[in-house]
Every structure is written in C-alpha cells, then in structure tokens.
Amino acid sequence: MILVQKILFICLVIEQTSGNPWQQNLPTWLPWQPLAVPPYIPDTLQQAMLANLTSHSLFSSFKGFGNLGNLGNLGNQTQCNAKLSQLTSGLTSFNPESIAFIDALGKPGPGVTTGNFLWLGNYEMCGTGALGNKSTGYRYENCVVSAPLTLGGYPLALVWTGCSPPECRSTADLQDVFKQIAALINKSGIIHTDPAKWVAQCDVKQEFDAGAYAAVTIISIFTLLVVVGTLWYLLEPIIISFMEGGKDDTTVLVDAEETPYEDVDKQPTEEKYRSPNQPEWLLGRFMKCFALQRTMETLFSTATKPGQVLCLNGIRVLSINWVVLGHSYLLAITVSTYNGFTYATQLLKRRNFLIIFNGFPSVDSFFALSGFLVTYLLLKQLTKRGGLTPLQWIAFYFHRYVRLTLPYLVAMLIEGWLYRLVMTGPTAQQVTSSPQSSHAMCERYWYTNLLYINNLVPWKNSGSEACVGQGWYLANDMQFFLVAPLFIVLLLGRPLLGVMVTGGTILCSAITTAVITAHYHLGPASTADPNPDQFWLLYNKPWIRITPYLVGILGGWFYWKWGQQVTERVKILPEWQKVLCATPIWAITAAVEYAVVFGLYHDIQLNINQEGKPSEVESVSYQGLARIAWSLSLTTQILMCQCGLGGFINSLLSWSGWQLLSRLTYSVFLLHLGLITLLAGQMRHAFFLNPDFEFAVSYLGILTMSYLSAAVLYLTVEQPVANLEGITYRKST
C-alpha cells in the first residue's frame, strides 16, 4: 500500500503557484512552425524503448520508490500524506471518491513502446465532476505536468494529467518530489530527464480582460449592424414612406434588387438607385451594406465578367485546402508524437506524404496569384485613367489596408482573447496560459499585426512569438503590395527597364537566400533541417519570400500586354496544333512543380536514417531556386489557361462552383489555425494515425468548420466592408 501511495503521489500531486523556480516556458504546440525531422532510426529506438521498459534497471528504479520512506519525510506535507492514504485505502472498499480519483489520473496507454507519453486522465471527473464539491468549497483541480525526456538522444515529451486535492499543492515538497522522480528515471541509463525543466500547471480561470471586452464589443457592433441592415433592407419602402410624410410614391419599389458589390475592380462605376427621381439616402446605403440579402447574394453569385481570370478561383481554393491539410496533419503529428514517433517516421518514408510535409509551395502560390492580380488590375486602371493622382494613390493603399485589416482584426481578437475563455481540456492550460500562447503574444505584439510588421518585430521570430501565427504571410503580402507599384509603373512606362529591374530583384533575392543558407549551414528546407533558426532567417522575411510575388508581377504584365493577342492567335489554330503546342509546356511545368515538392525525399531519408545530410550545394540550390521554379511554373500555367491552351485543366479550374469557395479563402486562412488550436487544446485522447482514416475524418471536419466559420466572417465583416467601400472608394478615386 505504501508503494501504491507513493506512485499516486508522484502521478497526481502537482503545484499551482506561479512562484515555482523551476517554471519554464511550456513546450507550446505551434501549428505554423516548420516540423523538424527527428534524426533517429525508429526500429532501433523502438527496441531500446521496449528493452528499457522491461529492463531490470528500470524495474529496480521504480521499485526504489519503496525506499523513499514515509511521505511525511518529503516535507511538512502531512495533510497531503493523510489525504493520499485515505484515497488509496478507499480503493479496496470501492470508495466513489477514490475510484473517481483514479479515473481522473492519466495512465500509460497503447503505444508506450513507440513513444506514447501523452497520458491523459478523465478530465470531466475532476473539479466539476465527481470530485467537485461546491457546497463545501472542497475542490480538486485538473493539473498537467510537462516533463522533457530523452531516449538515446531523441527528445520526448511526457504530458501527464491528473486531479490534485487541495492538500497537495506545496511548492517546496513538489520540488523535492520532482528531483527524486528525475533521479529514479535517470537511473535507468537510457531515459534521461532534467528536473529543472519540469513544469506543472493546474486549471486557472481565464479572466475576461480588456482585450476580451474589446473583442465582444467589436463583434457585437458588426452583429448589430447586420441585424439592422437586414431589417432595413426589408422595411425600406415603409421607412421611406413614413419619413416622407406618407407621400404616395411607389417609385421606391421599381427596382427592388440592387446589383451586389463584389471586388472593387468588378464594381459598376455608377450605382443604381431604387428611385429614378431621388438619390438614395446615405444612411440607407450604409445600412444595406450589412444586409444579409445583399452579402449572401454576392457570396452565392456565379456571374462573370469579361476579362476575369477565372482559373484563379480553382487555384485559390485548392491552395487554401492544401494549407489547411498541412496544418491539420501537423496537429495530428504533434499530438500523435506522444503516441507513436515511429509511425510519424513511417509517414516520412512514404513519398506521397511530402505533399503534406513539404506543402510550403502552397503559400508561394498565393504570393504569385497576388502579384499577378495586382499587376493586371492596376495596369488596366492606369491605362484607362492615364495615371493616378496622389489622392487616388492614397485611396489605392487605403482600400487594401481596410479590406484586409478589419476581418484580420476580428480574427485576431477571437483567437487571441476569446478562444481561451471557452477552451477546456486536460492540456488546455498549456495552450491558453503558456508564455507563448496566442493570448500572451497578442497582448505583447498586437500592434505589429495591425502595422503588418509582425514578420520583422521581433526580429528573431521563430514562429512562437506571434499573435495569430499565419499573420507572417499577411505582413509579407502587404509589404509586397506597398512596393508593387514601383515595378508596375516601370513596366508600363519603360517595359525593358521594368523587366530588367524586376528580374534583377528576383536574382538578388535568390542570391541572398543562397548566401544565408551557406553562411548558417542550413538545410534545403525546414522539412530536411531541424534548425529552428530557418524560420526567422529564411521563412518569414520579405526579401526572401518576394520572389514568387515578383514572378506573378511579370506574369500579370505579360498577360495585360500580350494576352489578348496570343488568345486571338490561339483561337484560329486547329485543335491538334493546340494540343501539340500545349502538351510539352504543361509537362515541363508539372515536372518542375513535382520536383519542388517531392525532390527532397532522398535528403529526408538520409536525415531520418542518420546516413548523412544534404550537401551544401543541394541546400543552396534548392533554397535559392525552388520558389522561383514553382511560381514561374504556376504563372505559366495560368497564362496557358487564359490564352486558350488550358484544355480540360482550365475547364476544371474555371468551374463556376469554385467562385463561392474562392470568396471564402481569405476568411478560411484567417480562422482555420485558431480552430485547429481550439481542437488541440480540448483533445481528450491521443491521436492515432494508423490507418489514416481517422485523420481523413478529422481533416474534413476541420476544413468544413473552417469554411462555415469563414462564411460567417465573410457575411458579417469582409463583404460589408467591401460594400462600404463601394459607396466611398469609387467617388474618392
């Protein structure tokens, strides 16, 4: 009984006070960080794990708990000693409190020999469950201990949850217990741990702070505007009739449906008013911008206009789905790291898994699309207007800032301040209360997001110092948008010089990437190099990521200048000549894209099997050329689709059904990581990935939730803001 008592004490008694001198940063789960390849041979480590768990040394170590003496010798924790004795004694008599206590304890589950160190108990049993007693105020608390372990040099993370009675929360005694547990673990000779890095956290009620009030206030304002705008749209004839003193004027009913506003480049120059005799009230136009009738009509519209690049809809949707796929699988890999690191390595041995593991080109696709569209649309405006006035240039930038920032702000408030208030689970405290949680980072760095400098401040941002992790992309995109007119105007006025400057900038970016890679001895990509400095050295810096955007600018300029001519010439060609011309180009661009995604397979296998690492030439070449190769191939394919050489691929990408989903891609991008974080913080069990069916269901669920959430954000914030610009932007420019 003494042995059982001591083991329970080790498993369950964890401190709550913030004054713990061992308190370190929790190993925070960050879905946007590149996933490092663990340098180990899984079969060897699995054998070592099995041998370690069954070895005499480990058995002796755990048996040594019996020699610790009486629990009272650990300190002055006599009340804790008595309480644990009461609970363990109650097991033999099937005491409900004791049974609930054991049920709340995390226990080793399947997959221990393959690395399952995620030991989660029954979260609902503690606090508000059978072990909660509101009438007496005696309250157990859910607690989680994070302990870093190493097995043969490979880092493991023990996450152990349980339910702590009030008597067992002495910091001094727990320090002694942690040290003794660590000493016993280290006696095994294979598994090692440092007690100074053990961290314990118990459930702490999340406070409704100023940021949460701001989030609720802003969301409430938008919700109220949507409700009022919807009612106004329905009751406008009655309201106007009443305000005009009951005049018998039915002209307001002549055109009951307005043409919905879409993107500014698609909006009509003149707005249609309902009454031919009198302009519509500004208040009415303002309120109807938020009306669901209008925003839903825009969302579900499949109307097209001449000059639209329809294939971009399909590319945009497929790219965002690819991004969500990678982040969702990273959730699964992160959570399943505790239940089977050997299976994670089995995944990396599958070449097709690189579509997920090396899915970074999906982001480059968005940079290329953005550069293409900005260039094509701005060149059309510049030639149509003969240039832009200073006020129009200000409106050009202001339009972009407002359109992106208001939905971004709402998403940031939700993820940074509201999710933590509703997140509950065995490991929720690790997500919500760690020094690198979204809440902590948003409180420190919210202004960098709104200024779009969060990829530069802090300078050595490793991905964890971020309010809304995916915001690094938005910062880069906004910075590229700011400098894009410099290249575009030059391409318009002096094309040859513009091509040389744009191409030269691409070359400088590639050389810079290569030099940094060589100087810091980095691998060809995050997927083949565990160095965490890759993120701030290469991954999120604008002078590294601008190459796809500049390639997109050249593509947009080419299509604006020669697209119509090429299209007219292609139209007169017989079908066999179209196929003959298009097939080699499609084959080459597809082969290049395949090489960018799957070309690292050999290097990853070398890393996994500890058979070597990529040469410096390979690393420098891939880092310097991969983004250019991907974006150049993708831009070429877009031009092929637009010029009549896309065939069935263009028909697929230009399908009208993509339009609805395409309008939601920005909101999906803003919201999906927060939803994944919310899911991770509330996991009640380890995530098993073998077979992949469980993940497929999880991914489809996350993707569906992301689109549904995005539809809400689109209808309440994103499109109403676009509608508001429809009554201000055109007149100001």
Side-chain angles (χ1 to χ4, degrees), residues 347-358:
L347 289 175
L348 297 178
K349 288 183 176 295
R350 291 161 34 181
R351 186 181 295 270
N352 62 355
F353 184 68
L354 284 180
I355 195 71
I356 298 170
F357 194 57
N358 192 30

Side-chain angles (χ1 to χ4, degrees), residues 195-353:
K197 295 182 179 179
W198 285 41
V199 178
Q201 276 192 323
C202 294
D203 280 353
V204 177
K205 183 179 180 181
Q206 298 295 323
E207 297 295 332
F208 208 88
D209 58 8
Y213 280 110
V216 172
T217 300
I218 292 175
I219 293 172
S220 298
I221 290 173
F222 276 104
T223 303
L224 179 62
L225 288 172
V226 169
V227 172
V228 174
T230 302
L231 293 175
W232 181 284
Y233 198 96
L234 289 172
L235 304 175
E236 183 186 34
I238 299 175
I239 295 174
I240 292 179
S241 177
F242 175 79
M243 296 298 294
E244 293 184 354
K247 294 180 181 179
D248 186 16
D249 186 0
T250 59
T251 56
V252 295
L253 302 176
V254 171
D255 188 5
E257 296 294 332
E258 291 185 289
T259 301
Y261 284 109
E262 298 181 0
D263 291 337
V264 168
D265 59 283
K266 303 176 187 176
Q267 293 171 4
T269 305
E270 300 289 338
E271 182 180 5
K272 290 166 58 180
Y273 295 103
R274 295 190 176 187
S275 172
N277 303 325
Q278 165 184 349
E280 189 175 7
W281 293 350
L282 180 61
L283 176 61
R285 298 178 69 192
F286 174 84
M287 295 310 306
K288 286 191 293 184
C289 289
F290 294 87
L292 285 176
Q293 298 92 326
R294 187 170 176 181
T295 54
M296 290 184 69
E297 184 176 358
T298 302
L299 175 61
F300 290 100
S301 173
T302 58
T304 61
K305 293 184 178 181
Q308 286 184 245
V309 189
L310 296 178
C311 65
L312 297 188
N313 291 326
I315 297 174
R316 197 178 285 121
V317 174
L318 293 176
S319 296
I320 194 63
N321 291 354
W322 189 5
V323 170
V324 177
L325 175 67
H327 288 157
S328 299
Y329 223 111
L330 190 50
L331 158 68
I333 290 294
T334 304
V335 178
S336 71
T337 298
Y338 307 112
N339 75 23
F341 54 76
T342 57
Y343 181 64
T345 308
Q346 292 173 19
L347 289 175
L348 297 178
K349 288 183 176 295
R350 291 161 34 181
R351 186 181 295 270
N352 62 355
F353 184 68

Side-chain angles (χ1 to χ4, degrees), residues 329-404:
Y329 223 111
L330 190 50
L331 158 68
I333 290 294
T334 304
V335 178
S336 71
T337 298
Y338 307 112
N339 75 23
F341 54 76
T342 57
Y343 181 64
T345 308
Q346 292 173 19
L347 289 175
L348 297 178
K349 288 183 176 295
R350 291 161 34 181
R351 186 181 295 270
N352 62 355
F353 184 68
L354 284 180
I355 195 71
I356 298 170
F357 194 57
N358 192 30
F360 304 118
S362 60
V363 180
D364 294 322
S365 298
F366 280 107
F367 283 136
L369 296 183
S370 183
F372 186 98
L373 274 178
V374 167
T375 304
Y376 176 61
L377 298 177
L378 183 57
L379 285 172
K380 288 173 60 178
Q381 291 295 320
L382 289 173
T383 53
K384 178 181 178 180
R385 298 167 183 261
L388 298 180
T389 66
L391 181 61
Q392 289 171 333
W393 278 115
I394 293 174
F396 172 77
Y397 286 115
F398 181 76
H399 153 73
R400 176 78 169 188
Y401 182 83
V402 172
R403 286 287 300 274
L404 292 183

Side-chain angles (χ1 to χ4, degrees), residues 463-539:
S464 58
E465 298 85 1
C467 170
V468 184
Q470 68 273 35
W472 72 267
Y473 167 84
L474 297 176
N476 278 279
D477 189 69
M478 181 63 76
Q479 291 158 12
F480 301 158
F481 184 82
L482 291 174
V483 301
L486 300 178
F487 299 95
I488 297 171
V489 171
L490 198 57
L491 287 167
L492 175 63
R494 304 187 65 181
L496 180 60
L497 181 60
V499 171
M500 293 177 60
V501 170
T502 307
T505 306
I506 293 173
L507 181 62
C508 289
S509 176
I511 293 174
T512 302
T513 304
V515 170
I516 293 175
T517 302
H519 179 75
Y520 289 95
H521 305 290
L522 302 175
S526 303
T527 53
D529 185 0
N531 189 339
D533 289 338
Q534 273 220 12
F535 190 84
W536 68 269
L537 284 171
L538 295 177
Y539 195 77

Side-chain angles (χ1 to χ4, degrees), residues 22-28 146 197 199 434-436 464-465:
W22 293 340
Q23 186 82 14
Q24 304 288 332
N25 290 353
L26 287 173
T28 308
S146 299
K197 295 182 179 179
V199 178
S434 73
Q436 293 179 329
S464 58
E465 298 85 1

